[in-house]
Amino acid sequence: MLTFAQAVKVEGTVKDATGNSIPGVTVMVKGTKKGVATNDLGRFSISAEKTDVLIFSFTGFTTKEETVGPRTTIDVTLLENVSTLNDVVVVGYGTQKKRDVTGAISSISAKTIEEKQPISIFDAIQGAAPGVRVMSNSGAPGEEQDITIRGLSTLSDGGVRPLYIVDGVTMDNINAINPKDIQSIEILKDAASTAIYGSRSANGVIIVTTKRGDEGKPRIDVGFLRTYSKLSNRVPQANRLERQMFDRRGNIGLDPKPDDSTSFARNADNDYQKLMTQTAVRNQVDVGISGGTKALNFYNSLQYLDEQGIIINSYAKRFTLRSNVDYRPGKRLSMATRLSFSYQDRNNINEGNVIRQALQRPPGMALYLPDGSYIYNNGGRRNPLAEAFLRKDISKIYKGVLYQAFDFKLANPLSLHADVSADVELTRRSTFNSKLLDTNNPQVSSGSDNTAVPVRTQGNVYLNFQRKFKDVHSLTAMAGMNFEKNNQDEANIAGRYYVTESVETLNAAGQLTLTDIYTTGTVNSLVGFYGRLAYDYKGRYLVNATVRRDGSSRFGTDMRWGNFPSVSVGWRFSDEPLLNISKNSILTDGKIRASWGITGNQAIGNFDAVQQFVFGQYYYNGVSGVRTNDRLGNSNLQWEETAQSDIGIDLTFLNGRIVFVADYYVKNTSDLLYDAPLPLEAGYPGKARTNAGSIQNKGIELGITLYPINTKNFSWMTSFNWTQIRNKITRLPGGDYVDGIWYVGEGKEAGNFYGYKYQGIYEYDQSNAYTEDYRTRLIPQFQRDAQGNVIIQKNMQPILTGYKTPDGKSYTGDVKQLTTNGFVSKGGDVIWQNVPDAKGELNGNIGNEDRQIIGYGQPRWSLGWSNSLSYKRFQLSFSLYGNFGNSIYNENRRNLASFSNSNTTPEPHFIRNMWKYPGQITDSYLGGDKTADNFRRGNSQFLESGSFVRLQTARIVYGLPQHLLRRLHMQQLSLSVYGNNLLTWTDYTGFDPEVSQRSVLKPGEDPGKYPRRREVGMGLNVTF
C-alpha cells in the first residue's frame, strides 16, 4: 500500500537572545526553493512535511536548522554570529570583505557606538581602535576633540588631522554628526588603505557610513535621554585661613584682625570651584523613521540636543536632520541621495577670565556689594561670576550637505559610478563685553560680529571592473577622477561705546572699530586621478595596488602635482594545503599581510606659495598704500610625503570566538611643511613656509576580541587593544632650537619638555655648598645643644662649624656656592641640577646652559578595553581607556605659586609646606621671594605624570518582554541607566590628565582649561 506524506501548516516566532523579535528572517525548507520571511513581529507561517528541515537565516546571526516532526508551532532563538570574516568594510571608493582586506583597517560598528551613548562621534571612537588616539582640548560642551592616527607625522599643527569621509563626502569637521545615524566607522591606518586619497591621507582616513532603511514596513524609533553632570575632579584650592597663613608667612602667628566687614578683600570665604560650577543637565531627543521596498529604501532622523556645561552659563545646543534615500528604478540603474542639515548654538566661556581667575583669586575677596551687585574688579582680580554672565561669546553654525550618486551597470562586468556633492556652512560668532568688566578708565563696552561662509563642492567619476575566472582567479579594477573646490568668504565688524547694553547688536555701538572691519575671501582647488587593481587566487594569495596623482592650487606652479602609489599583499596560510590546517581545527582563519605606500599632506595656507600683500591700512600723504606681508612667499613649496611600511597578522579562532590582530609599522615623512623663522637680514619679520626636515614614527598595535560565553541566555564579548608609538625627528635643517619650554632637535622626539631639573630645597643658607669642581654638594655641620638640636641665633642663622662630604668625611677645601640670576642661592631656594658643559665641566651659575630635556608631552602607549554582557533581557556594557608615559606641564599650578600678583593664591600644599625657617625640610620654596626665580617657567617641579586609566562609559539596559510589547503595540521598548567618566585613576593634580595634544612640537601644557564632567542619566528607547 502506498502512503503519501502530508504537508501541515507550521507557525512560530523568531527572536534574538534578548527576547526581541527579528523581522525579515528567511525560513526555507531545506533542499527546496520554498521559503518565507518573518513579519514585523518576527512571526512566520509555512507549509511543510513532518520529515522536512526548516533553515532559519538572517544577516548577523548564526543559521539554525529545525526538524518539523510532529510540531505545528516552532519558536526559534537565533544567536548573534560572532564571526566577522564575511563582514563588508568600506575602503577608498569601494567595499571589500573583511577576510580579503590586505591593509590595516579598524572597524567600529553601530552596536559599539550605541553602547557608549556618545554625544559626538569623537566619544564613539575614543579607546575603540588600536593606533587611534582621541584627546579633548577642553571639557566645554560642543568642543571638538583631536584625533591622531599612528602618531604625529608632521611638524605642522594644522596637518595632524585625519581625512574625514562621510557617505563619500570629504569633510574638515565631523562634530555635527549625530552618532545615532552612524552604521559603521572604518579607520584606514596604513598607506595601502589611504594612498588612494593621495594628498590628504598622510594622517589616516576615517570613513563614516550612515544608516540605510531595510526592506519592510516603516520602522519608527523614538529615544529620550536625560543626564546630570558635575565637576569630575576638584583641584586643591586654598581657603581663607590658608590664605592668611600665606599672607603672614614672614610673621609669627596669624592676622590678629582677620575679619573686617568693610574690607572687600577679606570679608568672605569663597569656594570658587563650587560657585563657578553647576549641576548640568543634558536633554536629548531622537526620532528615526526607516523602511523600504525592493526598489526604494529610506532612512530619516531628527535629533535635538540641549547640553548645559558644568561651568555656569556655558551651553551647547544642536539640531540635526538626515535623510538617506536609495532608489533602484531598474536592474542597471541605482541612485543614492544623502541630505543632512545641522544647527549648533554655543556659548564660549572665556577660560582665562572665568576659570583661571577663579583659581587665582584670594578666597577672602567678596564677590558682591551689600546691595547684591557684583564687585567687578578687586586688587587686580576679576570677578569670575560676573565674567561668566556679562562677557558673551556666541557661536552659531548652520551646515548643510547634499550628496547625489548614480551607479550604472554597464556590459558585464563593468559598472560606472558618478557622484557630486556640496557642503555649505555659515558660521556666525558674536561677542559682547559689558563696560562693567572693563578695567580701563573710562570704562567702555565693546562687541564684534564675524560671519564666515565656507563652501565645498566636489565630485567623483570612476569605472569598476570585477570578474572571476575559472572559480579560482578574482580580478577587480577601478579607475576614476576626483575634483574639489573650496571657497570661503568672511566679514567682520566691531564697535565700542554702546548706547545701551540692553541692545547687544552693533547698531547700538556708538563708534565702529575701523581696524576690525574687513572682508576676506579665499579659495583652493584640488584635482586627482586614481586607480586600484586587486587580484586573489582562491582567496589564498591576495594582491592590491593603488595609485593616485593629485594637483593642488596651494603649491607653486611647477610643484603642484604629486604621485601617491601603494601596494599590499596577503597570504591566507590557513587555506594552504601544504600546511594541512583542518577546517575543524582551533584556527578558523589566518592571514599575514604586508603593505607599503606613499601618502601626502597639503595642510598649509592657500597662498603660502606666493608673495602676499597687505593694503587698506597704510597711508602716505593721505593715500592708502600697499606693503608686502610679513611672511615670505615660497614658490618652491611641494608636497609633504609620508612613506609607510606595515606588516600585520590576522588570526581567527573557534569560528570567530577569538579574533587577534597585530601590526608593526614604520612611517617616514620627508619634505616637512614647516613654518621656518627668518633671519632679520631677510627683511621679513615673520616666517616662511618651506619644505625642511623629516620625521619618523614607529609603532606596534595589538587588538583582541573574545566571546568567552555565547549561550541562549547569557553572552559576553570583551575587546582589548594596545598601542605603542615612538617618533623621532630624523633631519632638521637649521639646527636644534628651543621654543619656550620645549626642545626641538634632530635625533630627538617631537614634544620634549626642556627646562631646569628640580632637586629639592636648601635647608639653610649654608646648605648651598659645593666642592671646588661643583660636583659634590657638602653637608654643613652646626653647633648643637645637649639634645642634638641645631642652635639658631637671634639673627635666625645657625653657627657653622664645618662641612662634611656625603660619605661622612670632613671637608677642608674651598667651598663654592651656586648663584642663580647673579644672586647666591640661600635657605628656602630651589636646588637646581648643575649640568656639565661639552667638556664635562661645571660652572657656578644656574643659567640657560643648565636646561635639559625633562619630559615628553605625547603619550608613549595607550590602551582600550570594552565589554558587553547580556543576560536574558538585561544588557551591561562598559569601556575603559588610558594613556601612559607622557608628562603634563601644570602651568596653572606654577602660576599660582609664581607671585606674579599679590592677590594670586598658591595651592594649599605650597602654603602649608613653604620654607619658613632655617633647617626646615620641605619640598616648597620660600614664599613671596622672586630673587632666585624659584618658580621659573619650565622647571620640573611642576612637570607631572600624565598617565591615566578612565572608566569611560557604563550602561545597563532592560528590554520589555514580548508579550507586554504586543499589548502596547510596540516592537521594542528599553530602559537604560548610563554613566560617563565615572572614575579616573591618575597621579595628575590638575582638573584632568587629558590635556591638549593639538600642537606637534609643543604638546602637554595645562594652563587651567575647562574641566571635564562626571555624568549619569537615564534613557528610554521605543520602536514601533
Side-chain angles (χ1 to χ4, degrees), residues 61-98:
F61 291 82
T62 56
T63 300
K64 192 170 186 178
E65 296 186 2
E66 292 280 348
T67 302
V68 176
R71 296 178 294 175
T72 58
T73 299
I74 299 178
D75 293 328
V76 174
T77 298
L78 295 184
L79 300 179
E80 186 177 353
N81 186 359
V82 298
S83 176
T84 60
L85 289 175
N86 290 316
D87 287 358
V88 175
V89 298
V90 180
V91 296
Y93 305 107
T95 59
Q96 278 185 319
K97 280 189 176 182
K98 194 170 184 178

Side-chain angles (χ1 to χ4, degrees), residues 88-97 101 105 186 188 193 196-197 207 532:
V88 175
V89 298
V90 180
V91 296
Y93 305 107
T95 59
Q96 278 185 319
K97 280 189 176 182
V101 170
I105 300 176
E186 267 74 42
L188 283 53
S193 306
I196 199 163
Y197 289 109
I207 301 178
R532 176 171 51 229

Side-chain angles (χ1 to χ4, degrees), residues 701-736:
E701 299 169 357
L702 303 176
I704 185 169
T705 300
L706 301 94
Y707 292 82
I709 304 172
N710 190 32
T711 64
K712 178 180 178 180
N713 290 327
F714 182 67
S715 64
W716 173 29
M717 184 279 290
T718 182
S719 180
F720 181 85
N721 66 77
W722 179 87
T723 304
Q724 183 188 68
I725 300 175
R726 293 286 188 276
N727 73 15
K728 181 171 65 174
I729 299 173
T730 53
R731 189 170 64 88
L732 188 65
D736 300 359

Side-chain angles (χ1 to χ4, degrees), residues 321-432:
L321 177 151
R322 180 172 295 277
S323 180
N324 293 346
V325 179
D326 295 274
Y327 179 51
R328 296 167 295 280
K331 293 183 178 180
R332 293 187 175 273
L333 174 63
S334 62
M335 295 181 286
T337 303
R338 307 286 180 259
L339 174 66
S340 66
F341 171 80
S342 65
Y343 165 72
Q344 297 179 74
D345 180 6
R346 176 184 175 195
N347 183 26
N348 306 286
I349 290 294
N350 187 309
E351 294 177 340
N353 289 344
V354 178
I355 298 170
R356 290 193 278 278
Q357 285 285 328
L359 296 176
Q360 296 170 9
R361 205 172 193 265
M365 274 189 175
L367 294 165
Y368 301 95
L369 292 169
D371 63 1
S373 59
Y374 289 123
I375 299 175
Y376 296 99
N377 293 284
N378 189 357
R381 299 293 91 187
R382 295 179 180 272
N383 185 326
L385 305 185
E387 289 285 339
F389 286 106
L390 299 180
R391 192 181 299 278
K392 299 180 181 180
D393 185 353
I394 309 296
S395 295
K396 295 185 178 182
I397 303 174
Y398 305 82
K399 183 181 180 70
V401 181
L402 174 62
Y403 169 88
Q404 182 64 55
F406 300 89
D407 285 279
F408 304 89
K409 288 186 177 180
L410 306 176
N412 193 41
L414 292 176
S415 63
L416 179 68
H417 171 93
D419 68 66
V420 64
S421 63
D423 181 350
V424 182
E425 183 177 302
L426 187 149
T427 300
R428 187 171 182 182
R429 185 167 186 173
S430 56
T431 66
F432 178 78

Side-chain angles (χ1 to χ4, degrees), residues 171 345 363 497 567 570 621 635 649 728 748 857 893 968-969 996:
M171 291 187 178
D345 180 6
Y497 297 103
V567 62
N621 285 340
S635 60
I649 187 169
K728 181 171 65 174
K748 302 289 193 302
R893 183 166 153 252
L968 297 171
H969 303 286
S996 175

